[in-house]
Amino acid sequence: EIRNCDWSSDVCSSDLVVMFDRFIRLAQARKALHEQRFEDALRLCADPLIAADRRSEDLRRRAVQALAERAEAHLAAEALERAEVALDALRLSGAAADHAPLFERLAAARERRRVDRDRAAQALVAARRAVQRGELASAVALLAQVVGDEAGVHEVQASMRQRQEQAAIHVAAAREALRLGDPWAALVAAEQARALARDHDGVVALFDELPGVAAVVWECEFGRHVRDRNLDAAQELGARIRAQAPAALAVPAFAAS
């Protein structure tokens, strides 16, 4: 019969089991380190069975160094979430104090990202307001500052395209009204186009001609009412021009009235 302690006078079977388990743990830690599973390597090295072993300490040191290098690379690439995972593993291993500059860099990078996101959100709001004012060129410049909100950018760009299309329709209507000899309709259509897209090429070209168009409205409509002593009609027309075609205010005769 073989008894537990018949293996040796110094080593019994239970000691051999412990030695075998220690060997397995060290082998697993080496394998994890080789496969760059540094968190697993640290967890295995922390096992009380091998924690005090010189070989385990060497594996732990190499895993900690590799994690620090990984965190460094992620920080350089602005991959903050991945850097945070690596630094969390360092913190759990008790090595945070030895790599304090990495944690400081992560905190600084997070703050920069927060500031950038706040700035981008403000730029997106400002771009939406610029679109509502018809200032599409300003909106484009503001959208260039928006990072990380593709859905918001696409929404504003779609609104800009729609406004440009609608402005082009009003410009065409204004041109047609001029061709038909209806300067008042041309003024109103031009104002509608400008409200949609002030810097649309067609709108800009049209408004270069508007002082002359407004003068025609003045002479044909406002002047006629005055000559006929129909002051109520003249006053009503003036109010309409101020409300619906403010470009006419550039005409000296109208402004003087």
Side-chain angles (χ1 to χ4, degrees):
E1 181 181 352
I2 300 178
R3 294 174 300 173
N4 285 339
C5 291
D6 284 344
W7 295 92
S8 166
S9 59
D10 296 319
V11 181
C12 65
S13 60
S14 60
D15 293 328
L16 289 174
V17 170
V18 172
M19 290 175 60
F20 181 75
D21 286 346
R22 184 180 296 118
F23 173 81
I24 293 298
R25 294 292 189 282
L26 286 169
Q28 290 173 331
R30 289 192 189 96
K31 185 174 186 293
L33 185 64
H34 177 73
E35 294 175 351
Q36 299 186 3
R37 294 183 289 110
F38 306 127
E39 295 89 342
D40 290 341
L42 287 174
R43 177 180 54 80
L44 289 163
C45 288
D47 189 321
L49 191 63
I50 62 171
D53 191 293
R54 176 183 55 79
R55 293 165 294 181
S56 175
E57 181 56 33
D58 179 64
L59 290 172
R60 178 186 177 281
R61 179 187 58 77
R62 290 163 58 190
V64 165
Q65 182 59 34
L67 275 172
E69 292 172 357
R70 176 179 286 178
E72 176 90 28
H74 289 324
L75 285 171
E78 291 292 322
L80 303 190
E81 291 75 14
R82 294 184 178 182
E84 185 174 4
V85 171
L87 291 177
D88 281 344
L90 284 179
R91 185 183 292 107
L92 291 174
S93 73
D98 297 331
H99 298 88
L102 289 177
F103 288 89
E104 293 169 0
R105 284 179 58 190
L106 176 62
R110 281 175 174 165
E111 178 61 16
R112 286 196 303 274
R113 177 174 287 185
R114 184 193 66 77
V115 171
D116 289 345
R117 284 176 175 171
D118 288 348
R119 185 180 295 116
Q122 292 169 3
L124 187 61
V125 170
R128 289 193 178 105
R129 290 173 178 169
V131 170
Q132 290 299 317
R133 295 192 301 269
E135 299 170 0
L136 304 191
S138 296
V140 170
L142 288 163
L143 288 181
Q145 304 175 31
V146 180
V147 178
D149 190 351
E150 293 184 2
V153 170
H154 290 163
E155 172 202 335
V156 175
Q157 289 174 335
S159 178
M160 290 169 60
R161 286 192 297 271
Q162 184 179 27
R163 280 176 163 263
Q164 287 173 329
E165 292 168 359
Q166 292 173 345
I169 292 172
H170 287 300
V171 167
R175 293 291 182 191
E176 179 64 11
L178 288 175
R179 188 185 69 81
L180 296 175
D182 189 348
W184 171 253
L187 274 177
V188 173
E191 286 293 344
Q192 291 171 332
R194 185 165 68 169
L196 289 164
R198 290 177 176 272
D199 39 24
H200 185 284
D201 289 344
V203 174
V204 173
L206 185 61
F207 268 82
D208 286 340
E209 305 170 22
L210 279 182
V213 175
V216 171
V217 172
W218 169 266
E219 293 171 0
C220 294
E221 299 290 337
F222 196 92
R224 178 172 58 81
H225 291 317
V226 172
R227 286 193 301 272
D228 293 344
R229 298 182 181 276
N230 191 348
L231 300 184
D232 289 341
Q235 187 176 17
E236 181 182 351
L237 178 60
R240 286 177 62 197
I241 292 176
R242 285 190 174 89
Q244 299 181 46
L249 297 177
V251 177
F254 183 81
S257 66

